[in-house]
Amino acid sequence: MKISKYLHSCLLFELDNYQLLFDPGRFSFAEGLVTPGMFKDVRSIVITHIHPDHFDVDILKSIVELSGATVITNTQVSKELDKTDIKYLILEEGTHKAGPFKLQAFPVKHELIMDNPLPQMTGFLINNKVLHPVDSMEDKLLNFKGIELLLMVTMAPFTNEPTIAAFADELKPKQIFPVHDGYAKDFFIVQRYAAYVKHFEKQGIKFHEVYKVGDGVILS
């Protein structure tokens, strides 16, 4: 399984010639470094919640028109899709097969945001190896202690590094794939990721310094 990052929380999963895309939101496409054409071969697209850094209806529509991909999302997002001709599948809890990918969906609580209502948000366990808690660090996620790979928020207005590190320390994944950094400059990301590497090395956890367009990891 190959997982590639296309800025912020836009992630491309590839396995057995099948492509699965998560959260092609506005932040990833803002500077033109990522374009809809990069995802013309995508077969399924997962939208985890309605926030614009994870979901942009015009970007999504462009990708779907190019690829013919199936959209998988929750009820709150679907109400926005109903205003378009984008077809979708509701997946909020339970298991769904997308090609070679087993998606185990479950509701998760978004971390608190100043002066904003919390969105409906769906987390995922992918092929029993990858935990995608999206923008959540709630206690129930600790049920996945020892998971192979954690997709981990690294910077956000709703949290801070000590809180993030403490959550991951308790979860004890074998590896960490950083996300949610699309609004930061490269020099800042490099500096902060070096700090994360130093911290997690002490815990015996591999932190992957992935931030450039298309960089990623391969899981066996």
Side-chain angles (χ1 to χ4, degrees), residues 146-150 171-176 204-207:
I147 192 71
E148 179 64 35
L149 182 70
L150 168 66
L171 185 65
K172 298 188 186 328
K174 295 180 177 66
Q175 305 176 61
I176 291 173
I205 299 169
K206 172 66 176 177
F207 181 95

Side-chain angles (χ1 to χ4, degrees), residues 117-128:
L118 297 184
Q120 180 187 16
M121 190 166 71
T122 310
F124 288 89
L125 180 66
I126 302 144
N127 283 11
N128 297 316

Side-chain angles (χ1 to χ4, degrees), residues 73-108:
T73 193
N74 59 35
T75 300
Q76 187 177 39
V77 173
S78 76
K79 291 177 181 177
E80 295 302 310
L81 298 183
D82 285 340
K83 302 172 186 177
T84 73
D85 57 358
I86 299 174
K87 293 181 172 56
Y88 58 83
L89 168 70
I90 295 288
L91 180 63
E92 300 172 337
E93 199 160 6
T95 301
H96 174 74
K97 287 284 287 183
F101 292 102
K102 177 187 174 185
L103 302 176
Q104 180 183 334
F106 47 89
V108 285

Side-chain angles (χ1 to χ4, degrees), residues 98-196:
F101 292 102
K102 177 187 174 185
L103 302 176
Q104 180 183 334
F106 47 89
V108 285
K109 184 179 179 181
H110 197 289
E111 298 298 307
L112 294 176
I113 307 171
M114 184 175 64
D115 298 334
N116 278 288
L118 297 184
Q120 180 187 16
M121 190 166 71
T122 310
F124 288 89
L125 180 66
I126 302 144
N127 283 11
N128 297 316
K129 289 184 176 181
V130 181
L131 176 62
H132 194 0
V134 201
D135 298 350
S136 177
M137 291 179 283
E138 64 177 309
D139 287 347
K140 75 176 185 181
L141 293 164
L142 298 176
N143 291 330
F144 297 102
K145 187 173 290 189
I147 192 71
E148 179 64 35
L149 182 70
L150 168 66
L151 304 180
M152 188 186 82
V153 167
T154 51
M155 52 189 76
F158 52 75
T159 192
N160 54 56
E161 290 180 357
T163 300
I164 293 166
F167 169 73
D169 288 346
E170 193 168 358
L171 185 65
K172 298 188 186 328
K174 295 180 177 66
Q175 305 176 61
I176 291 173
F177 188 110
V179 296
H180 213 280
D181 56 6
Y183 54 85
K185 294 290 188 181
D186 283 1
F187 72 85
F188 182 74
I189 296 173
V190 169
Q191 181 198 66
R192 299 325 305 152
Y193 280 8
Y196 277 121

